[in-house]
Short mmCIF file of all heavy atoms in Angstrom, two decimals:
data_model
loop_
_atom_site.label_atom_id
_atom_site.label_comp_id
_atom_site.label_asym_id
_atom_site.label_seq_id
_atom_site.Cartn_x
_atom_site.Cartn_y
_atom_site.Cartn_z
N MET C 114 -36.11 34.87 9.63
CA MET C 114 -35.37 36.27 9.51
C MET C 114 -35.61 36.97 10.75
O MET C 114 -36.55 36.76 11.50
CB MET C 114 -35.94 37.00 8.35
CG MET C 114 -35.58 36.33 6.92
SD MET C 114 -36.46 36.95 5.66
CE MET C 114 -35.84 38.72 5.41
N THR C 115 -34.83 37.97 11.09
CA THR C 115 -34.92 38.75 12.41
C THR C 115 -36.15 39.68 12.08
O THR C 115 -36.61 39.93 11.10
CB THR C 115 -33.70 39.60 12.74
OG1 THR C 115 -33.44 40.52 11.59
CG2 THR C 115 -32.43 38.66 12.83
N VAL C 116 -36.65 40.14 13.26
CA VAL C 116 -37.75 41.14 13.20
C VAL C 116 -37.37 42.26 12.43
O VAL C 116 -38.19 42.80 11.63
CB VAL C 116 -38.14 41.53 14.74
CG1 VAL C 116 -39.06 42.63 14.77
CG2 VAL C 116 -38.74 40.30 15.43
N ILE C 117 -36.27 42.80 12.59
CA ILE C 117 -35.97 44.10 11.96
C ILE C 117 -35.75 43.86 10.40
O ILE C 117 -36.24 44.65 9.53
CB ILE C 117 -34.55 44.78 12.51
CG1 ILE C 117 -34.32 46.12 11.77
CG2 ILE C 117 -33.33 43.81 12.23
CD1 ILE C 117 -35.34 47.22 12.24
N ASP C 118 -35.40 42.60 10.06
CA ASP C 118 -35.23 42.33 8.58
C ASP C 118 -36.66 42.09 8.02
O ASP C 118 -36.79 42.55 6.86
CB ASP C 118 -34.44 40.96 8.36
CG ASP C 118 -32.95 41.18 8.18
OD1 ASP C 118 -32.54 42.42 8.00
OD2 ASP C 118 -32.22 40.28 8.16
N ASN C 119 -37.55 41.57 8.81
CA ASN C 119 -38.89 41.54 8.31
C ASN C 119 -39.41 42.86 8.05
O ASN C 119 -40.05 43.06 7.00
CB ASN C 119 -39.77 40.84 9.49
CG ASN C 119 -40.03 39.41 9.34
OD1 ASN C 119 -40.87 38.97 8.52
ND2 ASN C 119 -39.28 38.57 9.89
N MET C 120 -39.21 43.75 9.01
CA MET C 120 -39.62 45.22 8.82
C MET C 120 -38.93 45.81 7.53
O MET C 120 -39.79 46.39 6.67
CB MET C 120 -39.32 46.09 10.00
CG MET C 120 -40.06 45.61 11.21
SD MET C 120 -41.83 45.82 11.15
CE MET C 120 -41.91 47.70 11.13
N LEU C 121 -37.63 45.71 7.43
CA LEU C 121 -37.06 46.32 6.30
C LEU C 121 -37.50 45.80 4.95
O LEU C 121 -37.50 46.53 3.99
CB LEU C 121 -35.41 46.18 6.48
CG LEU C 121 -34.85 47.08 7.56
CD1 LEU C 121 -33.48 46.60 7.73
CD2 LEU C 121 -35.02 48.55 7.16
N LEU C 122 -37.87 44.48 4.96
CA LEU C 122 -38.31 44.03 3.66
C LEU C 122 -39.58 44.73 3.10
O LEU C 122 -39.77 44.92 1.92
CB LEU C 122 -38.76 42.51 3.95
CG LEU C 122 -39.13 41.70 2.84
CD1 LEU C 122 -37.81 41.32 1.89
CD2 LEU C 122 -39.77 40.47 3.28
N GLY C 123 -40.35 45.36 4.07
CA GLY C 123 -41.57 46.17 3.69
C GLY C 123 -41.19 47.21 2.98
O GLY C 123 -42.17 47.79 2.24
N ALA C 124 -40.14 48.04 3.09
CA ALA C 124 -39.87 49.20 2.45
C ALA C 124 -39.76 49.09 0.97
O ALA C 124 -39.32 48.16 0.48
CB ALA C 124 -38.52 49.81 3.02
N THR C 125 -40.34 50.07 0.31
CA THR C 125 -40.46 50.01 -1.16
C THR C 125 -39.35 50.77 -1.79
O THR C 125 -38.75 51.65 -1.10
CB THR C 125 -41.79 50.48 -1.71
OG1 THR C 125 -42.10 51.74 -1.15
CG2 THR C 125 -42.89 49.59 -1.32
N HIS C 126 -39.24 50.69 -3.13
CA HIS C 126 -38.28 51.43 -3.93
C HIS C 126 -36.87 51.42 -3.31
O HIS C 126 -36.18 52.48 -3.22
CB HIS C 126 -38.69 52.89 -4.05
CG HIS C 126 -40.11 52.94 -4.71
ND1 HIS C 126 -40.38 52.53 -5.91
CD2 HIS C 126 -41.23 53.33 -4.19
CE1 HIS C 126 -41.70 52.72 -6.18
NE2 HIS C 126 -42.28 53.23 -5.14
N GLN C 127 -36.36 50.31 -2.90
CA GLN C 127 -35.07 50.14 -2.33
C GLN C 127 -34.06 50.04 -3.29
O GLN C 127 -34.09 49.12 -4.20
CB GLN C 127 -35.00 48.98 -1.29
CG GLN C 127 -35.97 49.11 -0.18
CD GLN C 127 -35.61 47.93 0.94
OE1 GLN C 127 -34.36 47.84 1.21
NE2 GLN C 127 -36.64 47.39 1.37
N ARG C 128 -33.09 50.94 -3.34
CA ARG C 128 -31.94 50.86 -4.33
C ARG C 128 -31.10 49.50 -4.17
O ARG C 128 -30.75 49.01 -5.11
CB ARG C 128 -31.10 52.07 -4.21
CG ARG C 128 -31.74 53.31 -4.59
CD ARG C 128 -30.58 54.46 -4.82
NE ARG C 128 -29.90 54.80 -3.61
CZ ARG C 128 -30.33 55.77 -2.74
NH1 ARG C 128 -31.42 56.35 -3.01
NH2 ARG C 128 -29.76 56.06 -1.65
N GLY C 129 -31.06 49.18 -2.91
CA GLY C 129 -30.20 47.88 -2.78
C GLY C 129 -30.92 46.65 -3.14
O GLY C 129 -30.33 45.59 -3.06
N GLU C 130 -32.09 46.77 -3.61
CA GLU C 130 -32.74 45.55 -4.18
C GLU C 130 -32.44 45.36 -5.54
O GLU C 130 -32.95 44.38 -6.13
CB GLU C 130 -34.31 45.66 -3.86
CG GLU C 130 -34.66 45.35 -2.50
CD GLU C 130 -36.12 45.45 -2.15
OE1 GLU C 130 -36.91 45.62 -3.18
OE2 GLU C 130 -36.56 45.32 -0.98
N SER C 131 -31.74 46.25 -6.18
CA SER C 131 -31.15 45.98 -7.55
C SER C 131 -30.02 45.10 -7.39
O SER C 131 -29.03 45.20 -6.70
CB SER C 131 -30.81 47.29 -8.23
OG SER C 131 -29.80 47.18 -8.89
N LEU C 132 -30.02 44.09 -8.38
CA LEU C 132 -28.87 43.20 -8.42
C LEU C 132 -27.60 43.84 -8.55
O LEU C 132 -26.57 43.58 -7.93
CB LEU C 132 -29.15 42.20 -9.58
CG LEU C 132 -28.05 41.10 -9.88
CD1 LEU C 132 -27.86 40.30 -8.69
CD2 LEU C 132 -28.38 40.38 -11.11
N TRP C 133 -27.53 44.96 -9.42
CA TRP C 133 -26.27 45.55 -9.81
C TRP C 133 -25.79 46.44 -8.50
O TRP C 133 -24.48 46.64 -8.46
CB TRP C 133 -26.43 46.54 -11.02
CG TRP C 133 -26.96 45.67 -12.08
CD1 TRP C 133 -28.13 45.83 -12.71
CD2 TRP C 133 -26.30 44.56 -12.73
NE1 TRP C 133 -28.34 44.78 -13.70
CE2 TRP C 133 -27.16 44.11 -13.75
CE3 TRP C 133 -25.02 44.07 -12.51
CZ2 TRP C 133 -26.79 42.96 -14.52
CZ3 TRP C 133 -24.64 42.93 -13.31
CH2 TRP C 133 -25.62 42.35 -14.29
N ARG C 134 -26.66 46.88 -7.72
CA ARG C 134 -26.20 47.75 -6.58
C ARG C 134 -26.03 46.97 -5.44
O ARG C 134 -25.48 47.50 -4.39
CB ARG C 134 -27.06 48.86 -6.37
CG ARG C 134 -26.87 50.01 -7.48
CD ARG C 134 -27.78 51.19 -6.92
NE ARG C 134 -29.20 50.96 -7.35
CZ ARG C 134 -29.87 51.58 -8.37
NH1 ARG C 134 -29.19 52.38 -9.06
NH2 ARG C 134 -31.10 51.37 -8.49
N SER C 135 -26.48 45.68 -5.40
CA SER C 135 -26.57 44.94 -4.12
C SER C 135 -25.08 44.75 -3.46
O SER C 135 -24.99 44.84 -2.29
CB SER C 135 -27.07 43.55 -4.50
OG SER C 135 -26.33 42.83 -5.19
N PHE C 136 -24.10 44.66 -4.28
CA PHE C 136 -22.74 44.46 -3.61
C PHE C 136 -21.99 45.74 -3.51
O PHE C 136 -20.86 45.74 -3.01
CB PHE C 136 -22.00 43.40 -4.36
CG PHE C 136 -21.96 43.64 -6.03
CD1 PHE C 136 -21.07 44.41 -6.58
CD2 PHE C 136 -22.93 42.91 -6.68
CE1 PHE C 136 -20.99 44.59 -7.91
CE2 PHE C 136 -22.98 43.18 -8.13
CZ PHE C 136 -22.01 43.97 -8.71
#
Side-chain angles (χ1 to χ4, degrees):
Chain C
M114 291 169 71
T115 59
V116 168
I117 187 74
D118 271 351
N119 262 280
M120 293 295 290
L121 287 171
L122 189 67
T125 51
H126 306 295
Q127 296 192 45
R128 288 199 294 276
E130 283 179 4
S131 141
L132 177 61
W133 302 114
R134 282 190 283 254
S135 64
F136 46 87

